[in-house]
Amino acid sequence: MSRTGLISAISALVMTALVHTTPVAAANASLLVPGDPRAMNLLSAEQALVDLTNADRVSNGLEPLQTDAETLAIARERAESQLGTPALSHYDADGQLVFSKLLSDANLGYRLAGENLARASSTDAAVVQRIEQALMQSPTHRKNILEQTFKRVAIGAATDSSGQITFAEVYRD
């Protein structure tokens, strides 16, 4: 897939939401089953994207993000929900930000939160690098990656039987 094709496959909108801080509680259980080869590949892809995201932050003079275990299930749910959809979307049918509602439902507090969504049609060895490059070339996605306020990130990945892979990055302060 060309770089332009990959960029166009990535949602152009990145949303951030401001709300009052609420107590933090544990998120839902992981959607991945340990030991499953598919799960191992997704775990590797998730970690690789965290590493590349942090490398981009450090190269831009920012502190690396901490992995946010509390929102990992939400990130994985968001990635799974984007499989097979005609376009990536941050919104539900009522026009509400899905990730914001999921954070609220899980009683996970934040002052600032954001989400990046990305999708590719192949899961070759370089797909994660292409995804991060495309996100960094998109001004709205880059803004989330390089947002100084964000201190934590959870990155979830999901694949389907056709080889499509989606990523959801959920950022919090």
Side-chain angles (χ1 to χ4, degrees), residues 77-159:
E77 180 178 341
R78 291 293 294 136
E80 185 79 26
S81 75
Q82 300 304 300
L83 289 172
T85 62
L88 300 174
S89 178
H90 299 281
Y91 299 97
D92 65 16
D94 297 324
Q96 301 299 311
L97 286 170
V98 177
F99 80 94
S100 180
K101 182 174 179 352
L102 292 170
L103 288 169
S104 177
D105 289 350
N107 288 326
L108 294 172
Y110 60 93
R111 289 174 302 197
L112 183 67
E115 175 182 73
N116 285 348
L117 300 173
R119 176 168 49 199
S121 59
S122 70
T123 56
D124 62 85
V127 70
V128 177
Q129 288 178 311
R130 288 195 318 271
I131 290 287
E132 181 64 12
Q133 287 171 350
L135 289 169
M136 285 297 288
Q137 291 171 358
S138 163
T140 53
H141 294 91
R142 180 184 180 92
K143 184 177 186 303
N144 269 352
I145 293 167
L146 300 180
E147 173 58 54
Q148 291 181 340
T149 305
F150 293 145
K151 304 298 180 211
R152 300 177 277 189
V153 67
I155 298 180
T159 59

Side-chain angles (χ1 to χ4, degrees), residues 25 30 32 41 51 53 55 57 64 82 108 128 132 136 147 166:
S30 168
L32 298 176
N41 289 337
D51 294 343
T53 298
R57 286 180 61 88
Q82 300 304 300
L108 294 172
V128 177
E132 181 64 12
M136 285 297 288
E147 173 58 54
T166 61

Side-chain angles (χ1 to χ4, degrees), residues 2 24 29 33 46 50 54 63 65 70 79 85 93 98 109 112-113 115 117 126 132 136 147 149 160:
S2 72
V24 176
V33 178
E46 290 171 351
V50 168
N54 277 332
E63 292 291 320
L65 297 165
E70 293 176 314
T85 62
V98 177
L112 183 67
E115 175 182 73
L117 300 173
E132 181 64 12
M136 285 297 288
E147 173 58 54
T149 305
D160 65 12

